[in-house]
Amino acid sequence: MQEKRTRAEKRIRTWKLTGDVGREFKDKVNRQHRTHKEQTANEKWVYLKGVLLSTAEEVCGTSKGGKKIDKETWWWSEEVQTSIKKKKEAFKNWQREGTDQLKEVYKEKKKEAKRAVAKAKEEGYKEWYEKLDTGRERRPFTGLQRREQRQKET
């Protein structure tokens, strides 16, 4: 399985808003927050949002934004994609109309999608295990093979 490594976004450490840090945050927001009667509700919200975010960042700090790993679905195929698309479409139709007939159609599409995913995964694993047994492309599996060999020896 291949993994894509990307940089995660920096986040404000809101989990630190307890105890003394929480009280400090509340005090700073109360000091900074001033509303004017001539502001619209939207303007008040934008101002309050800015005050809350800047104060939270100042009091709590931010994370560095560690590595985010996106795993690729190596078993995904066109058949799975079309099946999932049909299921989603059936769900939307059922939610829009709300009839029992459309609910049954959705349930059937959901079963078909599950079968397609299971079939694609099974085929993907079958290919993976064939690569493991044949010795071709040995490099990705050497660690796994060593562990299996050690288990057989003990």
Side-chain angles (χ1 to χ4, degrees):
M1 183 180 337
Q2 294 179 344
E3 296 175 344
K4 292 180 182 177
R5 291 182 182 257
T6 58
R7 203 78 178 149
E9 293 180 21
K10 292 182 179 184
R11 295 186 170 227
I12 297 173
R13 297 175 174 164
T14 54
W15 58 89
K16 289 187 166 189
L17 285 175
T18 57
D20 293 335
V21 176
R23 283 187 285 282
E24 180 185 353
F25 173 76
K26 185 178 175 182
D27 292 339
K28 285 190 176 191
V29 167
N30 286 336
R31 273 187 262 131
Q32 289 182 7
H33 180 60
R34 301 281 180 257
T35 58
H36 304 286
K37 293 186 181 194
E38 59 272 358
Q39 288 180 323
T40 65
N42 198 32
E43 290 171 338
K44 287 179 184 180
W45 169 247
V46 170
Y47 175 74
L48 179 62
K49 179 182 173 186
V51 168
L52 291 172
L53 288 175
S54 64
T55 306
E57 189 172 348
E58 178 187 329
V59 172
C60 301
T62 57
S63 67
K64 289 196 297 186
K67 292 181 181 176
K68 179 179 173 185
I69 299 173
D70 291 331
K71 295 180 181 176
E72 290 184 9
T73 50
W74 46 270
W75 47 265
W76 195 265
S77 65
E78 288 293 320
E79 181 184 348
V80 171
Q81 187 170 359
T82 56
S83 181
I84 297 290
K85 195 172 191 175
K86 288 178 183 177
K87 179 192 81 150
K88 286 182 177 184
E89 192 175 303
F91 179 78
K92 287 178 184 177
N93 289 337
W94 171 50
Q95 292 296 306
R96 195 176 316 117
E97 302 294 326
T99 64
D100 290 337
Q101 183 182 9
L102 288 175
K103 183 178 181 178
E104 294 304 318
V105 169
Y106 165 67
K107 284 184 176 181
E108 187 58 37
K109 297 293 181 189
K110 187 176 173 182
K111 285 180 186 177
E112 289 174 12
K114 277 188 171 184
R115 284 189 211 115
V117 168
K119 182 181 175 185
K121 280 185 172 182
E122 184 179 344
E123 289 172 2
Y125 278 117
K126 196 178 287 185
E127 288 177 22
W128 192 76
Y129 285 126
E130 284 174 6
K131 288 179 184 177
L132 183 65
D133 289 340
T134 60
R136 286 179 297 135
E137 296 187 29
R138 261 186 119 86
R139 192 155 182 89
F141 308 112
T142 54
L144 181 62
Q145 287 174 335
R146 276 190 228 119
R147 272 186 257 133
E148 287 178 356
Q149 188 66 31
R150 280 189 226 128
Q151 287 175 352
K152 285 179 185 177
E153 291 173 357
T154 56

